[in-house]
Amino acid sequence: MMMTVKELSDRTGISVRTLHYYDEIGLFCPTDKSEAGYRLYDDKALERLQQILFFREFDIPLKEIKAAIENPALDKNELLQMQRRMLIKKKARIDRLIASIDDILKGDNKMDFEVFDKNEIEELWNATYNNANEEQKAVFIERYGSIEEWKKQFLHNASTAEAQKSFAKIVEWYGGKEKAIESSKNPHNPELVFSFQKRIGTIMQKLADKMGMDVNKLEVRELIGEYDFVSKQMYQIEDASKLMLELAAAYQTNELIQKSQDSIYGKGATNFIGQAIEAFYCQNPQ
C-alpha cells in the first residue's frame, strides 16, 4: 500500500519539509509518483527511512548517512548490526545519566556530564597556563593569590556539570577531544584573532546591507561561504557547520543577542543573518 508524503509524515513524525529535502539531495526518494505528480512511498521506502533515522540519532552528517546506506559492501543485516552497536553505546550513556539524576533526587550525587576526565582537564590547564603571557598570569595570580590557587580553581570549575556541557559543544565543533585539546595548546596569537574578528564584522555588515533579499541569492550565499571560511581559520576546525548552525539559531531566537547585534548592523539584521546562515548549511550539508 502506497503512502503520500503527508501520510508518511504523520506516521513517522518527520516533517513534510524534511522529507522533501531528503528527496532533493537523493537521500530518501519516493517509490513512485501519482499522475498528479505527488510523491508516493511503499513499505520498503519506510525501511530506508528507519535506517536514516537511526543514524540521525547520532547527529551523523547526511552525506555520511547516504554513503553508509548505499555502500554495496554493507548488507541490510550488517547495517542493522552497526546501528545496534551505536544505539547500545548511546543507551549506556543515557542509563548513566538517568542513574545520576536518581542520585541527585536522593541527594547522593552530582550529575555526570563528564566530557574531559581529570587528566584531560590537567592538559587544558597546562595549555592555558603555557599560552598566557606574563601580564595575563599576573592578573590571575593577583585574583587568586598564587599560581597553585589559580590552578586549583581552574580544575574545580572545569569539572562542573555546566563546564562539561560547554566542553561537549566544543568537542562537537572540533570533531573530537584530541583536536579540541590540540587547538587549546596551539592558539592563534591575539593580533591574528583580532584580524579574524574584524573580517567577520565586515562580512556581517555586508550581509546586513542585503537585508530583505532572498537568502538563497548567490551574493548572500557567497558572503556566508566567506563567513564559513574565516570561522574555520579562526577556530582551527575542519567543519564549521555545527558551530554556525548554533549561531544561526541564536541569531533568530536570542533577544539579547539580537538587541546587541542590531544596534551595530541595523534592526532586523541579526535575524536576517541567522536565516541566511541556516539556509546556506541546509542546502550544503557537511
Side-chain angles (χ1 to χ4, degrees):
M1 180 179 175
M2 292 287 195
M3 291 173 283
T4 64
V5 68
K6 176 66 167 58
E7 289 170 337
L8 184 62
S9 174
D10 291 341
R11 184 168 175 178
T12 63
I14 307 301
S15 72
V16 171
R17 183 180 177 184
T18 297
L19 292 170
H20 284 175
Y21 178 63
Y22 285 177
D23 183 13
E24 289 170 14
I25 63 174
L27 176 63
F28 179 64
C29 302
T31 308
D32 200 355
K33 288 190 176 181
S34 69
E35 291 182 4
Y38 295 115
R39 296 171 172 86
L40 298 173
Y41 303 86
D42 61 9
D43 289 341
K44 189 172 182 181
L46 185 59
E47 286 183 13
R48 181 180 175 97
L49 183 57
Q50 281 183 317
Q51 293 175 342
I52 293 168
L53 297 181
F54 283 144
F55 280 123
R56 289 301 287 158
E57 281 290 320
F58 307 95
D59 295 322
I60 294 174
L62 297 179
K63 284 196 299 187
E64 293 182 22
I65 294 175
K66 187 172 185 289
I69 290 176
E70 296 177 354
N71 185 347
L74 282 176
D75 65 21
K76 179 182 174 182
N77 286 339
E78 288 176 333
L79 196 61
L80 288 171
Q81 287 293 344
M82 178 200 304
Q83 292 170 328
R84 185 176 186 277
R85 288 192 294 270
M86 294 168 71
L87 287 168
I88 286 173
K89 288 182 180 179
K90 183 172 183 178
K91 178 178 180 295
R93 171 66 173 163
I94 291 173
D95 285 345
R96 195 149 61 96
L97 290 173
I98 291 172
S100 295
I101 291 174
D102 289 342
D103 287 341
I104 290 174
L105 293 173
K106 296 174 187 174
D108 294 339
N109 202 355
K110 292 185 290 186
M111 280 193 79
D112 176 14
F113 282 108
E114 185 177 274
V115 176
F116 291 128
D117 61 27
K118 185 176 180 180
N119 291 334
E120 289 164 339
I121 292 175
E122 188 87 26
E123 279 191 71
L124 292 175
W125 155 256
N126 290 332
T128 299
Y129 181 78
N130 292 333
N131 288 313
N133 58 39
E134 293 306 314
E135 183 179 349
Q136 290 169 328
K137 289 177 181 176
V139 169
F140 282 105
I141 291 171
E142 181 179 356
R143 179 184 300 175
Y144 294 108
S146 67
I147 293 175
E148 291 72 23
E149 188 60 27
W150 173 20
K151 178 179 179 180
K152 180 180 176 182
Q153 288 299 318
F154 179 96
L155 298 179
H156 169 73
N157 293 336
S159 300
T160 64
E162 202 61 39
Q164 290 290 336
K165 285 191 284 186
S166 297
F167 288 151
K169 289 294 182 187
I170 294 171
V171 167
E172 186 178 11
W173 295 342
Y174 280 92
K177 288 198 291 186
E178 294 76 13
K179 290 181 180 179
I181 293 173
E182 188 61 30
S183 176
S184 72
K185 294 178 181 177
N186 300 287
H188 290 305
N189 67 59
E191 290 182 3
L192 187 57
V193 171
F194 177 75
S195 175
F196 284 138
Q197 291 172 336
K198 187 175 180 181
R199 188 171 170 188
I200 287 175
T202 301
I203 295 168
M204 293 277 285
Q205 185 59 64
K206 288 181 179 178
L207 283 165
D209 293 341
K210 306 290 183 187
M211 188 166 47
M213 183 179 288
D214 183 345
V215 293
N216 293 305
K217 285 279 189 181
L218 179 61
E219 48 199 293
V220 175
R221 294 175 61 76
E222 284 179 338
L223 286 169
I224 300 298
E226 185 180 354
Y227 198 162
D228 174 90
F229 175 78
V230 177
S231 297
K232 288 175 182 176
Q233 301 303 308
M234 183 165 73
Y235 295 107
Q236 303 178 59
I237 53 180
E238 295 178 5
D239 177 4
S241 60
K242 291 184 175 65
L243 183 156
M244 295 296 287
L245 283 170
E246 287 188 14
L247 191 64
Y251 279 2
Q252 294 177 80
T253 60
N254 190 305
E255 292 182 2
L256 289 177
I257 292 177
Q258 289 176 343
K259 184 177 180 181
S260 174
Q261 297 278 44
D262 284 359
S263 68
I264 301 172
Y265 303 111
K267 185 172 178 59
T270 309
N271 185 60
F272 171 76
I273 294 169
Q275 291 175 357
I277 293 172
E278 185 175 51
F280 177 87
Y281 288 100
C282 285
Q283 291 193 21
N284 295 274
Q286 303 294 306

